[in-house]
């Protein structure tokens, strides 16, 4: 099992105090999502405090939040570690994601403003740029922007909150699969077709294309962890 090493890297350090717990939790989420803290890595409080420049109290509050989200696991006699996403868990994540994002697609087609649709297309253009020179940090930022617009336009706060948790769990799988050039190109094609349906206000087509996009993502993600998808989403 890998152990996270502390050092001179200043990129994780927290610079300001307001909303400290949220900042700590967000930095840790990003580190997990981008693979800086890989699945199975032990999380040692003393080292994390040094890396982030925060107290153990603030760190523990953030770690409890991440544990609730399923990103980290407390193992008896071993302490905290980054959760390992098994094929079974990944399958469950994508099943729930397909159901919720399909709903969001319908609602966006029904309720979104023309400006929100334009902003969503711009976010996909940004994703295409990221794929040309892939980095995990830039990808996570661009994908977050895409979903922020989609969920705002959908106008369902409950679905938005649930999807944010699902996306956090899926982010580890996303970065691995989308670093593949072939999957990146396919993903942009899928999203472009999805946007065409949204612009046409075609709820049913938007729903079907959204679910198909997630099924393709599931296939790529499960392949990346060594298990082809065996059941429909």
């Amino acid at each position: 099992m890998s152990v996270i090493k502390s050092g001179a890297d200043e990129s994780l350090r927290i610079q300001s105090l307001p909303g400290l717990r949220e900042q700590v939790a967000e930095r840790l989420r990003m580190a997990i999502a981008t693979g800086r803290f890989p699945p199975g890595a032990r999380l040692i409080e003393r080292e994390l405090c040094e890396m982030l420049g925060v107290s153990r109290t603030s760190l523990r509050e953030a770690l409890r939040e991440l544990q609730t989200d399923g990103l980290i696991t407390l193992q008896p006699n071993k302490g905290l570690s980054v959760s390992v996403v098994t094929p079974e868990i990944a399958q469950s994540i994508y099943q729930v994601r397909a159901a919720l994002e399909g709903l969001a697609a319908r609602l966006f087609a029904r309720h979104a403003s023309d400006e929100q649709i334009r902003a969503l297309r711009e976010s996909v253009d940004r994703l295409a740029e990221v794929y040309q020179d892939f980095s995990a940090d830039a990808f996570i930022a661009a994908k977050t922007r895409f979903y922020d617009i989609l969920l705002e336009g959908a106008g369902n706060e409950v679905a938005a909150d649930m999807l944010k948790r699902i996306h956090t769990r899926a982010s580890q799988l996303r970065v691995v699969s989308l670093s593949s050039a072939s999957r990146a190109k396919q993903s942009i094609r899928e999203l472009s077709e999805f946007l065409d349906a949204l612009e046409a206000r075609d709820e049913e087509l938007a729903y079907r294309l959204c679910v198909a996009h997630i099924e393709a993502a599931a296939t790529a993600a499960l392949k990346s962890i060594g298990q082809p998808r065996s059941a429909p989403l």
Side-chain angles (χ1 to χ4, degrees):
M1 180 179 292
S2 58
V3 178
I4 296 168
K5 297 180 180 179
S6 59
D9 185 356
E10 297 289 321
S11 62
L12 290 176
R13 292 184 71 84
I14 304 299
Q15 301 299 324
S16 58
L17 292 178
L20 186 58
R21 177 186 58 79
E22 291 84 356
Q23 289 187 66
V24 175
E26 187 57 32
R27 294 293 173 85
L28 292 174
R29 281 193 190 93
M30 181 63 75
I32 292 169
T34 59
R36 181 178 295 184
F37 294 174
R42 291 179 59 199
L43 299 171
I44 300 171
E45 287 188 2
R46 175 180 52 79
E47 294 179 355
L48 290 174
C49 287
E50 180 182 343
M51 294 170 73
L52 293 159
V54 298
S55 68
R56 286 203 172 188
T57 299
S58 297
L59 176 66
R60 285 172 177 172
E61 291 175 352
L63 290 174
R64 280 195 293 271
E65 183 175 327
L66 268 62
Q67 191 174 354
T68 299
D69 289 345
L71 285 174
I72 61 177
T73 302
L74 178 61
Q75 298 177 313
N77 303 318
K78 293 183 179 180
L80 290 169
S81 62
V82 178
S83 298
V84 175
V85 182
T86 65
E88 294 76 18
I89 292 173
Q91 183 72 38
S92 297
I93 288 170
Y94 280 101
Q95 287 174 338
V96 175
R97 184 182 158 198
L100 290 173
E101 282 189 33
L103 171 62
R106 286 187 187 276
L107 294 175
F108 189 93
R110 187 183 308 170
H111 299 303
S113 67
D114 291 342
E115 179 57 36
Q116 286 171 323
I117 292 176
R118 283 193 294 271
L120 196 66
R121 187 168 288 280
E122 289 172 0
S123 73
V124 173
D125 291 342
R126 173 56 186 153
L127 276 168
E129 293 174 1
V130 171
Y131 293 152
Q132 295 299 316
D133 185 19
F134 189 87
S135 78
D137 287 355
F139 167 73
I140 292 292
K143 199 69 173 180
T144 298
R145 172 62 177 160
F146 172 85
Y147 281 116
D148 284 348
I149 299 166
L150 179 69
L151 296 176
E152 180 184 347
N156 186 313
E157 293 184 5
V158 175
D161 182 65
M162 295 174 71
L163 267 172
K164 286 175 183 176
R165 291 177 179 271
I166 290 294
H167 290 157
T168 298
R169 295 297 308 277
S171 57
Q172 292 170 281
L173 300 169
R174 253 197 225 119
V175 168
V176 173
S177 63
L178 281 165
S179 60
S180 161
S182 60
R183 175 56 196 152
K185 290 178 181 178
Q186 180 185 348
S187 179
I188 289 297
R189 286 195 298 270
E190 294 163 0
L191 290 174
S192 295
E193 293 174 358
F194 174 53
L195 279 163
D196 290 342
L198 293 175
E199 288 176 342
R201 304 289 181 173
D202 188 331
E203 294 181 30
E204 183 59 33
L205 181 58
Y207 170 82
R208 293 202 311 269
L209 290 172
C210 181
V211 171
H213 172 67
I214 296 165
E215 288 179 338
T219 298
L222 287 166
K223 186 182 296 183
S224 76
I225 57 175
Q227 176 68 43
R229 184 165 62 87
S230 58
L233 288 174

